[in-house]
Amino acid sequence: MSRHLTRMGRSLSGRFTSPLRSERVAARLGTWLGISFTVAFATGLFSHFTQHPPAWLLWPSRPVNLYRVTQGLHVISGIATVPLLLAKLWTVYPKLWQWPPLRSAGHAVERLFVLLLVAGALFQLVTGLFNIAYLYPWPFGFLQAHYWTAYIVYGALVIHVVNEWAKVRRHLFTRVEEPGRRRFLYTVAAASGLVALVTAGEALTPLERLAVLAPRDPDAGPQGVPVNRSAAAAGVTEVLRDPAYRLVVTGAVRTELSLSYADLQRLPQHTVRLPIACVEGWSVECEWSGVRLRDLIGRAGGSQEAYLTVESLERSGYYRTSEVRPPHWNDPLTLLALTLNGRPLDPDHGYPARLIAPNRPGVMQTKWVARVRVS
Ligand SMILES: Nc1nc2c(c(=O)[nH]1)N[C@H]1C(S)=C(S)[C@@H](COP(=O)(O)O)O[C@H]1N2
Ligand SMILES: [Mo]
């Protein structure tokens, strides 16, 4: 019986033999994947802790473009991983038909981790791609699922690398001699580079024309800047027309402020160049002008160590408020902006006033600001 099964297993795996498959090819692809996953994991953690910092963490407001760069890298490395992972799976999947499937307890555990790694990696790529396309065809929250799965995948990856290290080391610095295999590797690398390049355009303005895969054209939208959530989608079109608009600074202050749009325009105005860097990967640098947030808090008499909550006119929605900690709001570049590229903000960009601060994800650049709470 067992001999029969062994023969069946062998003939199954025999069916998948291709001269392009070899340990050396698999080791090469595995190394590239190790790099792309490490970049995605590190930049993903960076993005997570930027958006959900523990209470004590004061991340800096400089370099101005840091978040723009790391989040661009996150999306680019994720996309570059797709061809690599498909090629790697194609190279090693005859091993999945290995017989007997479990040789020992150790072998069973090893295979369980490989299963976790493959399933988790596919899950990360699929959810990530759907997210940057703004599609959410699933019942779970993207953020939590993508965040926690990252630990599982990276943990399983580390275990896999430890298990395979002897093999990888043997092959890493040896040339792939066979021309067919070399061509296969070049093709995979080129596919990976190509998808990375056509995505990079949404984050890097000089490559913009190549951004054929990007769901957001960096030029499209009112005032030449893309919009994720329009005024209509946020349900604020009515309130924006309200002449009774006031910007209120309240909470732990000496004097509460209540400023009309005209009052805001009469305060000292400053102009800065700062990017909007969306977590979904697109980014654009724009020119903003308006009132420094630190001037407002100074007028209200708030402490320099205060934490601020910026609140939108938007009634509900995940991004109607954001927290601004001292390094960010004390930075002279941080504005409550009234204009974008030389014109009053379009309603879709946050008229009457929006937050714009350096080294900060787009989701935390709150639009339609009506209140700043000091605590
Ligand atoms: N009140 C509010 N502000 C918001 C959002 C939102 O949904 N509500 N979306 C954020 C996101 S995800 C991004 S990327 C930026 C985009 O700014 P823009 O539309 O001016 O390009 O606004 C941010 N500010
Ligand atoms: Mo965003």
Coordinates of all heavy atoms in Angstrom, one line a residue, residues 248-337:
V248 N -12.9 76.9 15.6 CA -12.9 77.1 17.1 C -11.7 76.4 17.6 O -11.4 75.2 17.2 CB -14.2 76.4 17.7 CG1 -14.1 76.4 19.2 CG2 -15.4 77.2 17.2
V249 N -10.9 77.1 18.5 CA -9.8 76.4 19.2 C -10.2 76.4 20.7 O -10.5 77.4 21.3 CB -8.5 77.2 19.0 CG1 -7.4 76.6 19.8 CG2 -8.2 77.4 17.6
T250 N -10.3 75.2 21.2 CA -10.9 75.0 22.5 C -10.2 73.9 23.3 O -9.2 73.4 22.8 CB -12.4 74.5 22.3 OG1 -13.0 74.4 23.5 CG2 -12.5 73.2 21.5
G251 N -10.6 73.7 24.5 CA -9.9 72.7 25.4 C -9.0 73.3 26.4 O -9.4 74.4 27.0
A252 N -7.8 72.8 26.5 CA -6.9 73.3 27.5 C -6.2 74.6 27.0 O -5.0 74.6 26.6 CB -5.8 72.2 27.8
V253 N -6.9 75.7 26.9 CA -6.4 76.9 26.4 C -6.7 78.1 27.4 O -7.6 77.9 28.2 CB -7.0 77.3 25.0 CG1 -6.5 76.3 24.0 CG2 -8.5 77.3 25.1
R254 N -6.0 79.2 27.3 CA -6.3 80.3 28.1 C -7.5 81.0 27.6 O -8.4 81.4 28.3 CB -5.1 81.3 28.2 CG -4.9 81.9 29.5 CD -3.6 82.8 29.6 NE -2.5 82.4 28.7 CZ -2.1 83.0 27.6 NH1 -2.8 84.1 27.2 NH2 -1.1 82.6 26.9
T255 N -7.5 81.3 26.3 CA -8.7 81.9 25.6 C -9.2 81.1 24.5 O -8.4 80.8 23.6 CB -8.3 83.3 25.0 OG1 -6.9 83.5 25.1 CG2 -9.1 84.4 25.6
E256 N -10.4 80.7 24.5 CA -11.0 80.0 23.3 C -11.0 81.0 22.1 O -11.2 82.1 22.3 CB -12.4 79.6 23.6 CG -12.5 78.3 24.3 CD -13.8 77.5 24.2 OE1 -14.7 78.0 23.4 OE2 -14.0 76.5 24.7
L257 N -10.7 80.4 21.0 CA -10.8 81.2 19.8 C -12.0 80.8 18.9 O -12.3 79.6 18.9 CB -9.6 81.1 18.9 CG -8.2 81.3 19.5 CD1 -7.1 81.1 18.4 CD2 -8.1 82.7 20.1
S258 N -12.6 81.8 18.3 CA -13.7 81.4 17.4 C -13.6 82.4 16.2 O -13.8 83.6 16.3 CB -15.1 81.6 18.1 OG -16.1 81.5 17.1
L259 N -13.0 81.9 15.1 CA -12.6 82.7 14.0 C -13.4 82.4 12.7 O -13.6 81.2 12.4 CB -11.1 82.4 13.7 CG -10.2 82.6 14.8 CD1 -8.8 82.0 14.5 CD2 -10.0 84.1 15.2
S260 N -13.9 83.5 12.1 CA -14.6 83.3 10.8 C -13.5 83.1 9.7 O -12.3 83.2 9.9 CB -15.4 84.5 10.5 OG -14.5 85.6 10.2
Y261 N -14.0 82.7 8.5 CA -13.1 82.5 7.4 C -12.3 83.8 7.1 O -11.1 83.8 6.9 CB -13.9 82.1 6.2 CG -13.0 81.8 5.0 CD1 -12.2 80.7 5.0 CD2 -13.1 82.6 3.8 CE1 -11.4 80.4 3.9 CE2 -12.3 82.2 2.7 CZ -11.5 81.1 2.7 OH -10.7 80.8 1.7
A262 N -13.0 85.0 7.2 CA -12.4 86.3 7.0 C -11.3 86.5 8.1 O -10.2 87.1 7.8 CB -13.4 87.4 6.9
D263 N -11.6 86.2 9.3 CA -10.7 86.3 10.4 C -9.4 85.5 10.1 O -8.3 86.0 10.3 CB -11.2 85.8 11.8 CG -12.4 86.6 12.3 OD1 -12.5 87.8 11.9 OD2 -13.2 86.1 13.1
L264 N -9.6 84.3 9.7 CA -8.4 83.4 9.3 C -7.6 84.1 8.2 O -6.4 84.1 8.3 CB -8.9 82.1 8.9 CG -9.4 81.1 9.9 CD1 -10.0 79.8 9.3 CD2 -8.3 80.7 10.9
Q265 N -8.3 84.7 7.2 CA -7.5 85.3 6.1 C -6.8 86.5 6.6 O -5.7 86.9 6.0 CB -8.5 85.8 5.1 CG -9.0 84.6 4.2 CD -10.0 85.1 3.2 OE1 -11.0 85.8 3.5 NE2 -9.8 84.7 1.9
R266 N -7.2 87.2 7.7 CA -6.5 88.4 8.2 C -5.3 88.0 9.1 O -4.5 88.9 9.3 CB -7.5 89.2 9.0 CG -8.4 90.2 8.1 CD -9.1 91.2 8.9 NE -10.1 90.6 9.7 CZ -11.4 90.5 9.3 NH1 -11.8 90.9 8.2 NH2 -12.3 89.9 10.1
L267 N -5.2 86.8 9.5 CA -4.0 86.4 10.3 C -2.8 86.3 9.4 O -3.0 86.1 8.2 CB -4.3 85.1 11.0 CG -5.3 85.1 12.1 CD1 -5.6 83.7 12.6 CD2 -4.8 86.0 13.3
P268 N -1.6 86.4 10.0 CA -0.4 86.2 9.1 C -0.4 84.9 8.3 O -0.7 83.9 8.8 CB 0.8 86.2 10.1 CG 0.2 86.9 11.3 CD -1.2 86.6 11.4
Q269 N -0.2 85.0 7.0 CA -0.3 83.9 6.1 C 1.1 83.4 5.8 O 2.0 84.2 5.6 CB -1.0 84.3 4.8 CG -2.4 84.9 5.0 CD -3.4 83.8 5.5 OE1 -3.6 82.8 4.8 NE2 -4.1 84.1 6.6
H270 N 1.3 82.1 5.6 CA 2.6 81.6 5.3 C 2.4 80.6 4.1 O 1.3 79.9 4.0 CB 3.2 80.8 6.5 CG 3.5 81.8 7.6 ND1 4.7 82.5 7.7 CD2 2.7 82.2 8.6 CE1 4.6 83.2 8.8 NE2 3.5 83.1 9.4
T271 N 3.4 80.5 3.3 CA 3.3 79.6 2.2 C 4.4 78.5 2.3 O 5.5 78.7 2.7 CB 3.6 80.3 0.8 OG1 2.6 81.4 0.8 CG2 3.5 79.4 -0.4
V272 N 4.0 77.2 2.1 CA 4.9 76.1 2.2 C 4.7 75.1 1.0 O 3.6 75.2 0.4 CB 4.6 75.2 3.5 CG1 4.8 76.1 4.7 CG2 3.2 74.6 3.5
R273 N 5.7 74.3 0.7 CA 5.5 73.3 -0.3 C 5.6 72.0 0.4 O 6.6 71.6 1.0 CB 6.7 73.3 -1.4 CG 6.5 74.5 -2.3 CD 7.4 74.2 -3.6 NE 6.9 73.1 -4.4 CZ 5.9 73.3 -5.3 NH1 5.3 74.5 -5.5 NH2 5.4 72.2 -5.9
L274 N 4.5 71.2 0.4 CA 4.4 70.0 1.1 C 3.6 69.0 0.3 O 2.7 69.3 -0.4 CB 3.7 70.1 2.5 CG 4.5 70.8 3.6 CD1 3.6 70.9 4.9 CD2 5.8 70.1 4.0
P275 N 4.0 67.7 0.4 CA 3.2 66.7 -0.3 C 2.0 66.2 0.4 O 2.0 66.2 1.7 CB 4.2 65.5 -0.4 CG 5.1 65.6 0.8 CD 5.1 67.1 1.2
I276 N 1.0 65.8 -0.3 CA 0.0 64.9 0.2 C 0.5 63.5 -0.2 O 0.8 63.2 -1.3 CB -1.4 65.1 -0.6 CG1 -2.0 66.4 -0.2 CG2 -2.3 64.0 -0.3 CD1 -2.8 66.4 1.1
A277 N 0.7 62.7 0.8 CA 1.2 61.3 0.6 C 0.1 60.3 1.1 O 0.1 60.0 2.3 CB 2.5 61.1 1.3
C278 N -0.7 59.9 0.2 CA -1.8 59.0 0.6 C -1.2 57.6 1.0 O -0.2 57.1 0.4 CB -2.7 58.8 -0.6 SG -4.1 57.8 -0.2
V279 N -1.8 57.0 2.0 CA -1.3 55.6 2.4 C -1.5 54.6 1.2 O -0.8 53.6 1.2 CB -2.1 55.1 3.6 CG1 -1.7 55.9 4.8 CG2 -3.5 55.0 3.4
E280 N -2.4 54.9 0.3 CA -2.6 54.0 -0.9 C -1.5 54.2 -1.9 O -1.5 53.5 -2.9 CB -4.0 54.3 -1.5 CG -5.0 53.4 -0.9 CD -5.8 54.1 0.3 OE1 -5.9 55.3 0.2 OE2 -6.2 53.4 1.2
G281 N -0.5 55.1 -1.6 CA 0.7 55.1 -2.5 C 0.9 56.3 -3.4 O 2.0 56.6 -3.7
W282 N -0.2 57.0 -3.7 CA 0.0 58.1 -4.6 C 0.5 59.3 -3.8 O 0.1 59.4 -2.6 CB -1.2 58.5 -5.4 CG -2.5 58.9 -4.7 CD1 -3.5 58.1 -4.4 CD2 -2.8 60.2 -4.2 NE1 -4.5 58.8 -3.7 CE2 -4.1 60.1 -3.5 CE3 -2.2 61.4 -4.1 CZ2 -4.7 61.1 -2.9 CZ3 -2.8 62.5 -3.5 CH2 -4.1 62.3 -2.9
S283 N 1.2 60.2 -4.4 CA 1.6 61.4 -3.6 C 1.9 62.5 -4.6 O 2.3 62.3 -5.8 CB 2.8 61.1 -2.7 OG 3.9 60.7 -3.5
V284 N 1.6 63.7 -4.2 CA 1.9 64.9 -5.0 C 2.3 66.0 -4.1 O 1.8 66.2 -3.0 CB 0.6 65.5 -5.7 CG1 0.8 65.6 -7.2 CG2 -0.6 64.8 -5.3
E285 N 3.3 66.8 -4.6 CA 3.8 68.0 -3.8 C 2.9 69.2 -4.3 O 2.7 69.3 -5.5 CB 5.2 68.2 -4.0 CG 5.7 69.3 -3.1 CD 7.2 69.5 -3.2 OE1 8.0 68.8 -2.6 OE2 7.6 70.5 -4.0
C286 N 2.5 70.0 -3.4 CA 1.7 71.2 -3.7 C 2.2 72.4 -2.9 O 2.9 72.2 -2.0 CB 0.2 71.0 -3.4 SG -0.5 69.4 -3.7
E287 N 1.7 73.5 -3.4 CA 2.0 74.7 -2.6 C 0.7 75.1 -1.8 O -0.4 75.2 -2.4 CB 2.4 75.9 -3.6 CG 2.9 77.1 -2.9 CD 3.1 78.2 -3.9 OE1 4.2 78.2 -4.5 OE2 2.3 79.1 -4.0
W288 N 0.9 75.3 -0.5 CA -0.2 75.6 0.4 C 0.1 76.9 1.0 O 1.2 77.2 1.4 CB -0.3 74.5 1.5 CG -0.3 73.1 1.0 CD1 0.8 72.3 0.8 CD2 -1.4 72.3 0.6 NE1 0.4 71.1 0.3 CE2 -1.0 71.1 0.2 CE3 -2.8 72.6 0.6 CZ2 -1.8 70.0 -0.2 CZ3 -3.7 71.5 0.2 CH2 -3.2 70.3 -0.2
S289 N -1.0 77.7 1.3 CA -0.8 78.8 2.2 C -1.9 79.0 3.2 O -3.1 78.6 2.9 CB -0.4 80.1 1.5 OG -1.5 80.4 0.6
G290 N -1.6 79.5 4.3 CA -2.6 79.6 5.4 C -2.0 80.0 6.7 O -0.9 80.6 6.7
V291 N -2.6 79.7 7.8 CA -2.2 80.1 9.1 C -1.4 79.0 9.8 O -1.8 77.8 9.7 CB -3.4 80.4 10.0 CG1 -3.0 81.0 11.3 CG2 -4.3 81.4 9.3
R292 N -0.3 79.4 10.4 CA 0.5 78.4 11.1 C -0.3 77.9 12.3 O -0.9 78.7 13.1 CB 1.8 78.9 11.6 CG 2.9 79.0 10.6 CD 4.2 79.6 11.1 NE 5.2 79.6 10.1 CZ 6.2 80.4 10.0 NH1 6.4 81.3 11.0 NH2 7.0 80.4 9.0
L293 N -0.3 76.5 12.4 CA -1.1 76.0 13.6 C -0.5 76.5 14.9 O -1.2 76.8 15.8 CB -1.0 74.4 13.5 CG -2.1 73.7 14.3 CD1 -3.5 74.2 14.1 CD2 -2.0 72.2 13.9
R294 N 0.8 76.6 14.9 CA 1.5 77.0 16.2 C 1.1 78.5 16.6 O 1.0 78.8 17.7 CB 3.0 76.8 16.2 CG 3.7 77.8 15.3 CD 5.2 77.5 15.6 NE 6.0 78.6 14.9 CZ 7.3 78.5 14.7 NH1 8.0 77.5 15.0 NH2 7.9 79.5 14.1
D295 N 0.8 79.3 15.5 CA 0.4 80.7 15.8 C -1.0 80.7 16.5 O -1.3 81.4 17.4 CB 0.3 81.5 14.5 CG 1.7 81.8 13.9 OD1 2.7 81.5 14.6 OD2 1.8 82.3 12.8
L296 N -1.9 79.8 15.9 CA -3.2 79.7 16.5 C -3.2 79.2 18.0 O -3.8 79.8 18.8 CB -4.1 78.7 15.7 CG -4.6 79.2 14.4 CD1 -5.3 78.0 13.6 CD2 -5.6 80.3 14.6
I297 N -2.4 78.2 18.2 CA -2.3 77.6 19.6 C -1.7 78.7 20.5 O -2.1 78.8 21.6 CB -1.6 76.3 19.6 CG1 -2.2 75.3 18.6 CG2 -1.5 75.7 21.0 CD1 -3.7 75.0 18.8
G298 N -0.7 79.4 20.0 CA 0.0 80.4 20.7 C -1.0 81.5 21.1 O -1.1 81.9 22.3
R299 N -1.9 81.9 20.2 CA -2.9 82.9 20.5 C -3.9 82.5 21.5 O -4.3 83.3 22.3 CB -3.7 83.2 19.2 CG -3.2 84.3 18.4 CD -4.0 84.4 17.1 NE -3.4 85.4 16.3 CZ -3.8 86.7 16.4 NH1 -4.9 87.1 17.0 NH2 -3.1 87.6 15.7
A300 N -4.2 81.2 21.4 CA -5.2 80.7 22.4 C -4.5 80.4 23.8 O -5.2 80.2 24.8 CB -5.8 79.4 21.9
G301 N -3.2 80.4 23.8 CA -2.5 80.2 25.0 C -2.4 78.7 25.4 O -2.4 78.4 26.6
G302 N -2.3 77.8 24.5 CA -2.1 76.4 24.8 C -0.6 76.1 25.1 O 0.3 76.8 24.6
S303 N -0.4 75.0 25.9 CA 1.0 74.6 26.2 C 1.7 74.0 25.0 O 1.1 73.4 24.1 CB 0.9 73.5 27.3 OG 2.0 72.6 27.1
Q304 N 3.0 74.3 24.9 CA 3.8 73.7 23.8 C 3.8 72.2 23.7 O 4.2 71.6 22.7 CB 5.2 74.3 23.9 CG 5.3 75.7 23.4 CD 6.8 76.1 23.1 OE1 7.7 75.5 23.6 NE2 7.0 77.0 22.2
E305 N 3.5 71.6 24.9 CA 3.5 70.1 24.9 C 2.2 69.5 24.7 O 2.0 68.3 24.8 CB 4.0 69.6 26.3 CG 5.6 69.6 26.5 CD 6.1 70.9 27.0 OE1 5.6 71.3 28.1 OE2 6.9 71.6 26.4
A306 N 1.2 70.4 24.4 CA -0.2 69.9 24.2 C -0.3 68.9 23.0 O 0.5 69.0 22.1 CB -1.1 71.0 24.1
Y307 N -1.3 68.0 23.1 CA -1.7 67.2 22.0 C -2.9 67.8 21.4 O -3.8 68.2 22.2 CB -2.0 65.7 22.5 CG -0.8 64.8 22.7 CD1 0.5 65.4 23.1 CD2 -0.9 63.4 22.6 CE1 1.6 64.5 23.4 CE2 0.2 62.6 22.8 CZ 1.4 63.2 23.2 OH 2.5 62.4 23.4
L308 N -3.0 67.9 20.1 CA -4.2 68.5 19.5 C -5.0 67.4 18.8 O -4.5 66.5 18.3 CB -3.8 69.5 18.5 CG -2.7 70.5 18.9 CD1 -2.5 71.5 17.7 CD2 -3.1 71.3 20.1
T309 N -6.4 67.7 18.8 CA -7.2 66.9 17.9 C -7.9 67.8 17.0 O -8.5 68.8 17.4 CB -8.3 66.1 18.7 OG1 -7.6 65.4 19.8 CG2 -9.1 65.1 17.8
V310 N -7.7 67.6 15.7 CA -8.2 68.4 14.6 C -9.5 67.7 14.2 O -9.5 66.6 13.8 CB -7.2 68.6 13.5 CG1 -7.8 69.3 12.3 CG2 -6.0 69.3 14.0
E311 N -10.6 68.5 14.2 CA -11.9 67.9 13.9 C -12.5 68.5 12.6 O -12.5 69.7 12.5 CB -12.9 68.0 15.0 CG -12.4 67.3 16.3 CD -13.3 67.5 17.5 OE1 -14.5 68.0 17.3 OE2 -12.9 67.2 18.6
S312 N -13.1 67.7 11.8 CA -13.7 68.1 10.5 C -15.2 68.4 10.7 O -15.8 68.1 11.7 CB -13.5 67.0 9.5 OG -14.2 67.3 8.3
L313 N -15.7 69.2 9.7 CA -17.2 69.4 9.6 C -17.9 68.1 9.3 O -19.1 67.9 9.5 CB -17.5 70.4 8.5 CG -17.1 71.8 8.8 CD1 -17.1 72.6 7.5 CD2 -18.0 72.5 9.8
E314 N -17.1 67.1 8.7 CA -17.7 65.8 8.4 C -18.2 65.2 9.7 O -17.6 65.2 10.7 CB -16.5 65.0 7.8 CG -16.9 63.8 7.0 CD -15.6 63.0 6.6 OE1 -14.5 63.5 6.8 OE2 -15.8 61.9 6.0
R315 N -19.5 64.6 9.6 CA -20.1 64.1 10.8 C -19.6 62.7 11.2 O -19.5 62.4 12.3 CB -21.6 64.0 10.5 CG -22.3 65.3 10.4 CD -22.7 65.9 11.7 NE -23.2 67.2 11.5 CZ -24.3 67.4 10.7 NH1 -25.0 66.4 10.3 NH2 -24.7 68.6 10.5
S316 N -19.4 61.9 10.1 CA -19.0 60.5 10.5 C -17.9 60.2 9.5 O -17.6 60.9 8.5 CB -20.1 59.5 10.4 OG -20.6 59.5 9.0
G317 N -17.3 59.0 9.6 CA -16.2 58.7 8.7 C -14.9 58.5 9.5 O -14.7 59.2 10.5
Y318 N -14.2 57.6 9.0 CA -13.0 57.2 9.8 C -12.0 58.3 9.9 O -11.3 58.4 10.9 CB -12.3 56.1 9.0 CG -11.6 55.1 9.8 CD1 -12.2 54.4 10.9 CD2 -10.3 54.8 9.5 CE1 -11.5 53.5 11.6 CE2 -9.6 53.8 10.3 CZ -10.2 53.2 11.3 OH -9.5 52.3 12.1
Y319 N -11.9 59.2 9.0 CA -10.9 60.3 8.9 C -11.4 61.6 9.3 O -10.8 62.6 8.9 CB -10.2 60.2 7.6 CG -9.6 58.8 7.3 CD1 -9.9 58.1 6.2 CD2 -8.8 58.2 8.3 CE1 -9.5 56.9 5.9 CE2 -8.3 56.9 8.1 CZ -8.7 56.3 6.9 OH -8.2 55.0 6.7
R320 N -12.5 61.7 10.0 CA -13.0 63.1 10.3 C -12.2 63.8 11.4 O -12.3 65.0 11.5 CB -14.5 63.0 10.8 CG -14.8 62.1 12.0 CD -16.2 62.3 12.4 NE -16.5 63.7 12.8 CZ -16.2 64.2 14.0 NH1 -15.6 63.4 14.9 NH2 -16.4 65.4 14.3
T321 N -11.3 63.1 12.1 CA -10.5 63.8 13.1 C -9.1 63.2 12.9 O -8.9 62.1 12.4 CB -10.9 63.5 14.6 OG1 -10.6 62.2 14.9 CG2 -12.4 63.8 14.8
S322 N -8.1 64.0 13.4 CA -6.7 63.4 13.5 C -6.0 64.1 14.7 O -6.3 65.2 15.0 CB -6.0 63.5 12.2 OG -5.6 64.8 12.0
E323 N -5.0 63.3 15.2 CA -4.3 63.9 16.3 C -3.0 64.5 15.8 O -2.4 64.0 14.9 CB -3.9 62.8 17.3 CG -3.5 63.3 18.6 CD -3.1 62.1 19.5 OE1 -2.3 61.2 19.1 OE2 -3.5 62.1 20.7
V324 N -2.6 65.7 16.4 CA -1.4 66.3 16.0 C -0.6 66.5 17.3 O -1.0 67.2 18.2 CB -1.6 67.7 15.3 CG1 -0.3 68.1 14.6 CG2 -2.8 67.7 14.3
R325 N 0.6 65.8 17.3 CA 1.4 65.9 18.5 C 2.4 67.0 18.4 O 2.7 67.6 17.3 CB 2.1 64.5 18.7 CG 1.0 63.5 19.0 CD 1.5 62.1 19.4 NE 0.4 61.3 19.7 CZ 0.5 60.0 20.2 NH1 1.7 59.5 20.4 NH2 -0.6 59.3 20.4
P326 N 3.1 67.4 19.5 CA 3.9 68.6 19.6 C 4.9 68.7 18.4 O 5.0 69.8 17.9 CB 4.6 68.5 20.9 CG 3.6 67.8 21.8 CD 3.0 66.8 20.9
P327 N 5.7 67.7 18.1 CA 6.7 67.9 17.1 C 6.1 68.4 15.8 O 6.7 69.2 15.0 CB 7.4 66.6 16.9 CG 7.1 65.8 18.1 CD 5.8 66.3 18.6
H328 N 4.9 67.9 15.5 CA 4.2 68.3 14.2 C 3.6 69.7 14.3 O 3.8 70.5 13.4 CB 3.2 67.3 13.8 CG 3.8 66.2 13.1 ND1 4.5 65.1 13.7 CD2 3.9 66.0 11.7 CE1 5.0 64.3 12.7 NE2 4.6 64.8 11.6
W329 N 2.9 70.0 15.4 CA 2.2 71.3 15.3 C 3.1 72.5 15.7 O 2.8 73.6 15.3 CB 0.9 71.3 16.1 CG 0.9 71.3 17.6 CD1 0.7 70.2 18.4 CD2 1.2 72.4 18.5 NE1 0.8 70.5 19.7 CE2 1.1 71.9 19.8 CE3 1.5 73.7 18.3 CZ2 1.3 72.7 21.0 CZ3 1.7 74.5 19.5 CH2 1.6 74.0 20.8
N330 N 4.2 72.2 16.3 CA 5.2 73.3 16.6 C 6.1 73.5 15.4 O 6.8 74.5 15.3 CB 6.1 72.9 17.8 CG 5.4 73.1 19.1 OD1 5.0 74.3 19.5 ND2 5.1 72.1 19.9
D331 N 6.0 72.7 14.4 CA 6.8 72.9 13.1 C 6.2 74.0 12.3 O 5.0 74.1 12.1 CB 6.7 71.6 12.3 CG 7.7 71.6 11.2 OD1 7.8 72.6 10.4 OD2 8.5 70.6 11.0
P332 N 7.0 75.0 12.0 CA 6.5 76.2 11.2 C 5.9 75.8 9.9 O 5.2 76.6 9.3 CB 7.8 77.1 11.1 CG 8.9 76.2 11.3 CD 8.5 75.1 12.2
L333 N 6.2 74.6 9.4 CA 5.6 74.2 8.1 C 4.1 73.8 8.2 O 3.4 73.6 7.2 CB 6.4 73.1 7.4 CG 7.8 73.4 7.0 CD1 8.5 72.2 6.4 CD2 7.8 74.5 5.9
T334 N 3.7 73.5 9.4 CA 2.4 72.9 9.6 C 1.3 74.1 9.6 O 1.4 75.0 10.4 CB 2.3 72.2 11.0 OG1 3.2 71.1 10.9 CG2 0.9 71.6 11.2
L335 N 0.4 74.0 8.7 CA -0.6 75.0 8.5 C -2.0 74.5 8.6 O -2.3 73.3 8.3 CB -0.4 75.6 7.0 CG 0.9 76.2 6.6 CD1 0.7 76.8 5.2 CD2 1.4 77.3 7.5
L336 N -2.8 75.5 8.9 CA -4.2 75.3 8.6 C -4.4 76.0 7.3 O -4.4 77.3 7.2 CB -5.0 76.0 9.7 CG -6.4 75.4 9.9 CD1 -6.3 73.9 10.2 CD2 -7.1 76.0 11.1
A337 N -4.3 75.3 6.2 CA -4.2 75.9 4.9 C -5.6 76.4 4.4 O -6.6 75.8 4.6 CB -3.7 74.8 3.9

